[in-house]
Amino acid sequence: MQHRVAAIGGDGIGPEIVAAGKEVLDAAGERFGFDIAWTDFDIGAERYLATGDLLTEEDIRELSKFSAIYFGSIGDTRVKPGVLEKGILLAIRFHFDQYINLRPIKLLEGVTTPLANKRPEDIDFVVVRENTEDFYVGIGSRFKGVREEKTLEVVRDLYSVKFGLDVETDADELAYQIGVITRPGAERVIRYAFDLAGRRQKKLTSVDKANVLSDVYGLWRDVFTDVAAGYPDIATEFNFVDAVTMWFVKNPEWFDVVVTPNMFGDIITDLGAMIQGGLGLAPGGNINPEGTSMFEPIHGSAPKYRGLDVANPLATVWAGSMLLDHIGEHDAAAAVLRAIEQSILDGFVTRDMGGAKKTSEVGQYLAALVRTV
Ligand code: IPM
Ligand code: MN
């Protein structure tokens, strides 16, 4: 069996951690009887600086031939913050309508969490972050003056929306950003979260801020309630986002699946990453169940460590395990996760986790482990 997978190393430490990840996934393939044909894309800062290209039509055409992309990281000190993030990472998420951002928060055996009284069985849940809407739709404006007329649009496969605005103000300067939640956009990700909860502990928490941002998150809540009616065996609850940050720290064992709009999902998954042992261990999947999905570490590109072979590849390898799950190689996915856990128990880890191993050494070690664990 052969799987074709696209790889984008990207910037900073991205190429090194993706190289380590590929090695581990290839080893998993050898053991479990499949082969991955990798196609590398040079999308990232280097190409942008040389040609001005972020994500081209040609990239999109080529990437659309794959059901999975393995992605390193984006961000480079030579480029203004936001350009690569919006022009490449968010562009891929939106273009391929990767509406589910799946972020497991799981404390592995042997990992130190700042929550000293918690054990691996206490921290094991999944955040399902909506990945295309909310304040991430990227429409807004900033102006000085008394009046601005503006047309703002969001064009998606699922729907499009157009705001014709005529703004008058006596403030010196004004900025606004529009957050968008739609019924179809919320419904599909909430449904996915219910289905996932059904395969786990049958508990789903919805996170919002409907007490203050009552239009956008009021709609989110209504959609959640409507979808819940079709899943009578799943226990549900609502949490406000401020409160959920407190419960993640105090009682993480309460959570099984958490579903949240995009921006709160961004914030609470960094907190989730910390309680599972740090950003070096936190993977994510950007999923379109019918299209092209993308798997990446949650962390950034750490440009100052570029080329030094010191970056922790575990989040990327774990993202690789999620990729394997996505393409149907469930046994291999589980073995990759066991290998990660074993390498931590063996103390075969990079500097940030208290070890002295290089990125490439950890990759080789995991590749060897994956053949046996
Ligand atoms: C993440 C990142 C991105 C986000 C940035 C880099 C655009 O923080 O994947 O969580 O905000 O979604
Ligand atoms: Mn983030």
Side-chain angles (χ1 to χ4, degrees):
M1 171 79 181
Q2 193 187 59
H3 299 286
R4 299 179 60 248
V5 177
I8 304 173
D11 308 330
I13 59 172
E16 299 155 55
I17 53 181
V18 164
K22 282 172 159 181
E23 190 173 348
V24 183
L25 268 52
D26 284 338
E30 276 173 39
R31 171 162 173 205
F32 292 94
F34 62 88
D35 172 62
I36 301 179
W38 299 99
T39 304
D40 295 308
F41 287 80
D42 64 351
I43 297 165
E46 227 40 81
R47 189 183 78 175
Y48 171 67
L49 290 167
T51 68
D53 287 336
L54 289 162
L55 186 72
T56 66
E57 290 295 321
E58 157 106 29
D59 294 333
I60 290 172
R61 219 174 21 250
E62 289 305 313
L63 287 171
S64 69
K65 298 176 183 161
F66 297 85
S67 60
I69 304 171
Y70 199 27
F71 189 92
S73 52
I74 211 81
D76 187 292
T77 42
R78 294 167 295 175
V79 183
K80 220 172 92 203
V83 173
L84 300 162
E85 292 87 339
K86 285 199 258 184
I88 295 175
L89 185 64
L90 295 182
I92 293 176
R93 289 179 184 170
F94 295 166
H95 182 84
F96 292 109
D97 204 18
Q98 296 165 341
Y99 62 89
I100 299 146
N101 190 330
L102 199 60
R103 297 191 160 182
I105 311 293
K106 182 174 164 63
L107 179 62
L108 299 182
E109 208 60 66
V111 174
T112 310
T113 168
L115 308 183
N117 58 339
K118 300 296 176 189
R119 302 273 317 125
E121 58 272 22
D122 297 324
I123 304 177
D124 186 1
F125 59 97
V126 181
V127 176
V128 178
R129 166 186 175 191
E130 199 289 325
N131 214 22
T132 62
E133 299 199 314
D134 202 11
F135 289 98
Y136 272 69
V137 293
I139 54 172
S141 182
R142 179 173 163 170
F143 69 99
K144 287 182 178 166
V146 292
R147 183 156 185 205
E148 185 189 63
E149 281 183 61
K150 191 104 184 166
T151 303
L152 299 171
E153 275 186 282
V154 182
V155 182
R156 298 272 194 264
D157 285 347
L158 195 61
Y159 58 82
S160 56
V161 48
K162 185 167 165 182
F163 295 89
L165 296 165
D166 184 352
V167 186
E168 283 179 57
T169 179
D170 57 8
D172 285 350
E173 188 169 6
L174 178 93
Y176 59 89
Q177 194 91 38
I178 296 182
V180 175
I181 301 276
T182 64
R183 183 170 281 276
E187 188 174 326
R188 59 184 184 172
V189 70
I190 290 172
R191 205 168 276 290
Y192 181 92
F194 270 100
D195 288 335
L196 180 62
R199 297 192 299 274
R200 291 178 50 103
Q201 302 298 313
K202 301 197 166 28
K203 181 172 180 199
L204 181 62
T205 305
S206 170
V207 171
D208 63 48
K209 188 74 188 171
N211 52 342
V212 177
L213 302 169
S214 44
D215 291 308
V216 277
Y217 302 131
L219 173 57
W220 172 271
R221 232 174 224 231
D222 286 352
V223 175
F224 185 91
T225 305
D226 293 346
V227 175
Y231 294 84
D233 58 331
I234 309 277
T236 59
E237 63 176 12
F238 290 110
N239 271 190
F240 293 129
V241 64
D242 46 353
V244 97
T245 60
M246 184 171 71
W247 301 128
F248 272 17
V249 171
K250 190 165 181 297
N251 294 103
E253 64 279 3
W254 285 350
F255 298 100
D256 177 28
V257 180
V258 176
V259 65
T260 166
N262 206 341
M263 193 174 73
F264 297 147
D266 178 47
I267 298 166
I268 66 175
T269 53
D270 268 24
L271 174 58
M274 258 313 140
I275 67 171
Q276 75 181 135
L279 277 170
L281 273 166
N286 302 273
I287 295 170
N288 175 338
E290 280 89 44
T292 299
S293 300
M294 174 167 70
F295 300 85
E296 53 168 347
I298 295 189
H299 63 67
S301 62
K304 67 180 175 186
Y305 297 123
R306 177 194 173 92
L308 301 181
D309 201 19
V310 296
N312 183 353
L314 293 185
T316 310
V317 176
W318 194 339
S321 163
M322 296 177 74
L323 186 158
L324 292 177
D325 244 331
H326 182 75
I327 61 177
E329 298 293 351
H330 305 296
D331 293 342
V336 169
L337 198 54
R338 284 198 302 276
I340 292 174
E341 204 153 26
Q342 190 59 52
S343 73
I344 295 167
L345 289 169
D346 294 347
F348 203 103
V349 290
T350 44
R351 224 162 50 177
D352 55 305
M353 290 185 70
K357 302 300 176 194
K358 302 226 165 268
T359 313
S360 55
E361 291 172 331
V362 174
Q364 287 152 15
Y365 193 73
L366 290 166
L369 277 175
V370 106
R371 295 190 167 92
T372 58
V373 285

